[in-house]
Amino acid sequence: MASLSPERRARHRDFLLSQRTPDGGFRGRDLENEGLPGDLYYTGFAVRALAVLGAFDEPTAAEVARFLKAHDPLRLGAIDLVSWLYSAVVVQAAGGGDPLAEAPPDWPERLAAGLEQNRSADGGYAKTPAGAAGSTYTSFLVALTLELIGRDVPAPGRLAQFLFDMQRDDGGFVELAPVKRSGTNPTAAAAVLLKLLGHADDELKADLRGFLTEVTDPAGGVRANTRIPFPDGLSTFTALLMCRDLGLPAPLPAGAMKRWVETELELPTGGFRGAAWDVNADAEYTFYGLGVLALTAADGTDLAVEIA
């Protein structure tokens, strides 16, 4: 992020801080009702975006800690739980206190046991304990959560097999078993999770390179799947991060991705929108936009290599 000028970082900081809610959290995309409480999902992105900007100070951390303490992590689903935990880690690092200070001593074990209730017969993790089939994204979130609390994934071989069952002939992965067309975001989730499980071999990497050639857009971004005509910030960020994590060439030259984010997604008043068709910025897409700018600047010429 050091490649961004102080004035530019300040604009994005101010946008993120404008999304705060009275309860100490951050709001989502419902811009018409400013009286709504904070949203854990968007709070997680706002906290991390402020942190990478170097703008998550102690007073803001203390306010977020107040928000987090109003939510019991033992009662949260996988998506809200990982947002809660990520926020708690950043709050602690910023000197905002420990949101888990009053949690029972066995909270990691109880969290892990609760997540395992979402394990489905196919080896993956469903969105709820009643879910009949595993979700690639939810499985990814569960593994991240277990890593955050220092626990291993139970029966990792079953989870790896579930992920390979989600792979399609184009080399990508789907979110749910009935889906036929691969998507960029489930592919990134599956690939990074397979690496965590020790299955990121050369065959998988070749499959991923092939899939990415189908979803890259000459405009400079990455599309969610082959049927969607426009690239978006989420897919571009996840594809870029997947390539970095698995040691793959970037999907597009660094300069092209940087120009696309700056011209199509970054708003002059601060914040980033999701895609060219989007109207408003939000905390989630601001995190993705900042992430793409930071990754392209950090890797320099390494990211200028196109997939052969």
Side-chain angles (χ1 to χ4, degrees), residues 158-174:
R158 287 183 61 213
L159 182 56
Q161 184 58 57
F162 161 77
L163 294 171
F164 282 120
D165 289 343
M166 296 297 104
Q167 190 172 25
R168 298 295 178 258
D169 291 341
D170 60 4
F173 293 76
V174 297

mmCIF file of all heavy atoms in Angstrom, residues 158-174:
data_model
loop_
_atom_site.group_PDB
_atom_site.id
_atom_site.type_symbol
_atom_site.label_atom_id
_atom_site.label_comp_id
_atom_site.label_asym_id
_atom_site.label_seq_id
_atom_site.Cartn_x
_atom_site.Cartn_y
_atom_site.Cartn_z
ATOM 1 N N ARG A 158 -11.258 -36.736 3.374
ATOM 2 C CA ARG A 158 -12.654 -36.643 2.925
ATOM 3 C C ARG A 158 -12.930 -35.259 2.341
ATOM 4 O O ARG A 158 -13.634 -35.123 1.333
ATOM 5 C CB ARG A 158 -13.607 -36.891 4.097
ATOM 6 C CG ARG A 158 -13.694 -38.328 4.566
ATOM 7 C CD ARG A 158 -14.724 -38.454 5.673
ATOM 8 N NE ARG A 158 -16.051 -38.068 5.203
ATOM 9 C CZ ARG A 158 -16.979 -37.484 5.968
ATOM 10 N NH1 ARG A 158 -16.709 -37.182 7.230
ATOM 11 N NH2 ARG A 158 -18.164 -37.181 5.469
ATOM 12 N N LEU A 159 -12.368 -34.242 2.968
ATOM 13 C CA LEU A 159 -12.584 -32.884 2.473
ATOM 14 C C LEU A 159 -11.900 -32.691 1.123
ATOM 15 O O LEU A 159 -12.470 -32.081 0.215
ATOM 16 C CB LEU A 159 -12.068 -31.858 3.480
ATOM 17 C CG LEU A 159 -12.262 -30.388 3.109
ATOM 18 C CD1 LEU A 159 -13.730 -30.080 2.826
ATOM 19 C CD2 LEU A 159 -11.736 -29.478 4.217
ATOM 20 N N ALA A 160 -10.689 -33.214 0.977
ATOM 21 C CA ALA A 160 -9.985 -33.100 -0.306
ATOM 22 C C ALA A 160 -10.762 -33.806 -1.416
ATOM 23 O O ALA A 160 -10.888 -33.291 -2.535
ATOM 24 C CB ALA A 160 -8.581 -33.672 -0.188
ATOM 25 N N GLN A 161 -11.305 -34.988 -1.122
ATOM 26 C CA GLN A 161 -12.081 -35.705 -2.130
ATOM 27 C C GLN A 161 -13.338 -34.935 -2.503
ATOM 28 O O GLN A 161 -13.729 -34.881 -3.682
ATOM 29 C CB GLN A 161 -12.456 -37.097 -1.618
ATOM 30 C CG GLN A 161 -13.187 -37.951 -2.651
ATOM 31 C CD GLN A 161 -12.373 -38.128 -3.920
ATOM 32 O OE1 GLN A 161 -11.243 -38.621 -3.875
ATOM 33 N NE2 GLN A 161 -12.925 -37.723 -5.064
ATOM 34 N N PHE A 162 -13.979 -34.315 -1.515
ATOM 35 C CA PHE A 162 -15.145 -33.475 -1.796
ATOM 36 C C PHE A 162 -14.776 -32.362 -2.778
ATOM 37 O O PHE A 162 -15.510 -32.096 -3.738
ATOM 38 C CB PHE A 162 -15.689 -32.870 -0.506
ATOM 39 C CG PHE A 162 -16.558 -31.668 -0.722
ATOM 40 C CD1 PHE A 162 -17.864 -31.812 -1.152
ATOM 41 C CD2 PHE A 162 -16.066 -30.383 -0.510
ATOM 42 C CE1 PHE A 162 -18.666 -30.691 -1.373
ATOM 43 C CE2 PHE A 162 -16.855 -29.264 -0.719
ATOM 44 C CZ PHE A 162 -18.167 -29.421 -1.164
ATOM 45 N N LEU A 163 -13.647 -31.719 -2.553
ATOM 46 C CA LEU A 163 -13.224 -30.626 -3.427
ATOM 47 C C LEU A 163 -12.964 -31.117 -4.844
ATOM 48 O O LEU A 163 -13.381 -30.485 -5.823
ATOM 49 C CB LEU A 163 -11.983 -29.946 -2.853
ATOM 50 C CG LEU A 163 -12.191 -29.210 -1.530
ATOM 51 C CD1 LEU A 163 -10.849 -28.771 -0.951
ATOM 52 C CD2 LEU A 163 -13.104 -28.003 -1.722
ATOM 53 N N PHE A 164 -12.295 -32.251 -4.984
ATOM 54 C CA PHE A 164 -12.043 -32.770 -6.326
ATOM 55 C C PHE A 164 -13.341 -33.174 -7.017
ATOM 56 O O PHE A 164 -13.449 -33.100 -8.248
ATOM 57 C CB PHE A 164 -11.067 -33.943 -6.268
ATOM 58 C CG PHE A 164 -9.637 -33.518 -6.086
ATOM 59 C CD1 PHE A 164 -8.891 -33.931 -4.983
ATOM 60 C CD2 PHE A 164 -9.018 -32.694 -7.024
ATOM 61 C CE1 PHE A 164 -7.579 -33.538 -4.823
ATOM 62 C CE2 PHE A 164 -7.700 -32.296 -6.871
ATOM 63 C CZ PHE A 164 -6.979 -32.712 -5.761
ATOM 64 N N ASP A 165 -14.340 -33.574 -6.243
ATOM 65 C CA ASP A 165 -15.649 -33.870 -6.830
ATOM 66 C C ASP A 165 -16.325 -32.602 -7.352
ATOM 67 O O ASP A 165 -17.228 -32.676 -8.196
ATOM 68 C CB ASP A 165 -16.559 -34.532 -5.791
ATOM 69 C CG ASP A 165 -16.136 -35.958 -5.469
ATOM 70 O OD1 ASP A 165 -15.363 -36.545 -6.257
ATOM 71 O OD2 ASP A 165 -16.551 -36.471 -4.413
ATOM 72 N N MET A 166 -15.909 -31.454 -6.845
ATOM 73 C CA MET A 166 -16.469 -30.180 -7.302
ATOM 74 C C MET A 166 -15.754 -29.641 -8.549
ATOM 75 O O MET A 166 -16.153 -28.616 -9.091
ATOM 76 C CB MET A 166 -16.355 -29.115 -6.194
ATOM 77 C CG MET A 166 -17.157 -29.398 -4.924
ATOM 78 S SD MET A 166 -18.939 -29.455 -5.193
ATOM 79 C CE MET A 166 -19.206 -31.234 -5.139
ATOM 80 N N GLN A 167 -14.699 -30.324 -9.001
ATOM 81 C CA GLN A 167 -13.964 -29.849 -10.181
ATOM 82 C C GLN A 167 -14.684 -30.267 -11.454
ATOM 83 O O GLN A 167 -15.262 -31.355 -11.543
ATOM 84 C CB GLN A 167 -12.539 -30.391 -10.186
ATOM 85 C CG GLN A 167 -11.643 -29.742 -11.237
ATOM 86 C CD GLN A 167 -10.194 -30.162 -11.101
ATOM 87 O OE1 GLN A 167 -9.877 -31.225 -10.582
ATOM 88 N NE2 GLN A 167 -9.291 -29.321 -11.575
ATOM 89 N N ARG A 168 -14.632 -29.395 -12.465
ATOM 90 C CA ARG A 168 -15.271 -29.669 -13.738
ATOM 91 C C ARG A 168 -14.219 -29.787 -14.842
ATOM 92 O O ARG A 168 -13.051 -29.531 -14.636
ATOM 93 C CB ARG A 168 -16.283 -28.558 -14.061
ATOM 94 C CG ARG A 168 -17.420 -28.468 -13.045
ATOM 95 C CD ARG A 168 -18.271 -29.731 -13.065
ATOM 96 N NE ARG A 168 -19.342 -29.715 -12.070
ATOM 97 C CZ ARG A 168 -19.293 -30.369 -10.912
ATOM 98 N NH1 ARG A 168 -18.207 -31.067 -10.585
ATOM 99 N NH2 ARG A 168 -20.310 -30.326 -10.072
ATOM 100 N N ASP A 169 -14.677 -30.155 -16.033
ATOM 101 C CA ASP A 169 -13.753 -30.464 -17.125
ATOM 102 C C ASP A 169 -12.914 -29.269 -17.566
ATOM 103 O O ASP A 169 -11.855 -29.447 -18.175
ATOM 104 C CB ASP A 169 -14.533 -30.996 -18.328
ATOM 105 C CG ASP A 169 -15.126 -32.381 -18.069
ATOM 106 O OD1 ASP A 169 -14.650 -33.059 -17.140
ATOM 107 O OD2 ASP A 169 -16.057 -32.778 -18.802
ATOM 108 N N ASP A 170 -13.385 -28.049 -17.287
ATOM 109 C CA ASP A 170 -12.615 -26.868 -17.693
ATOM 110 C C ASP A 170 -11.486 -26.550 -16.726
ATOM 111 O O ASP A 170 -10.748 -25.578 -16.913
ATOM 112 C CB ASP A 170 -13.531 -25.654 -17.845
ATOM 113 C CG ASP A 170 -14.266 -25.288 -16.552
ATOM 114 O OD1 ASP A 170 -14.004 -25.930 -15.511
ATOM 115 O OD2 ASP A 170 -15.108 -24.368 -16.593
ATOM 116 N N GLY A 171 -11.318 -27.375 -15.689
ATOM 117 C CA GLY A 171 -10.237 -27.180 -14.727
ATOM 118 C C GLY A 171 -10.632 -26.391 -13.506
ATOM 119 O O GLY A 171 -9.900 -26.371 -12.515
ATOM 120 N N GLY A 172 -11.779 -25.717 -13.560
ATOM 121 C CA GLY A 172 -12.244 -24.941 -12.430
ATOM 122 C C GLY A 172 -13.124 -25.756 -11.491
ATOM 123 O O GLY A 172 -13.294 -26.972 -11.661
ATOM 124 N N PHE A 173 -13.688 -25.080 -10.510
ATOM 125 C CA PHE A 173 -14.497 -25.731 -9.491
ATOM 126 C C PHE A 173 -15.839 -25.018 -9.359
ATOM 127 O O PHE A 173 -15.965 -23.833 -9.689
ATOM 128 C CB PHE A 173 -13.777 -25.710 -8.136
ATOM 129 C CG PHE A 173 -12.526 -26.561 -8.095
ATOM 130 C CD1 PHE A 173 -11.350 -26.130 -8.707
ATOM 131 C CD2 PHE A 173 -12.513 -27.783 -7.446
ATOM 132 C CE1 PHE A 173 -10.203 -26.898 -8.681
ATOM 133 C CE2 PHE A 173 -11.366 -28.564 -7.405
ATOM 134 C CZ PHE A 173 -10.205 -28.118 -8.023
ATOM 135 N N VAL A 174 -16.828 -25.745 -8.851
ATOM 136 C CA VAL A 174 -18.154 -25.181 -8.640
ATOM 137 C C VAL A 174 -18.423 -25.063 -7.147
ATOM 138 O O VAL A 174 -17.737 -25.658 -6.315
ATOM 139 C CB VAL A 174 -19.247 -26.034 -9.309
ATOM 140 C CG1 VAL A 174 -19.054 -26.052 -10.819
ATOM 141 C CG2 VAL A 174 -19.254 -27.455 -8.747
#
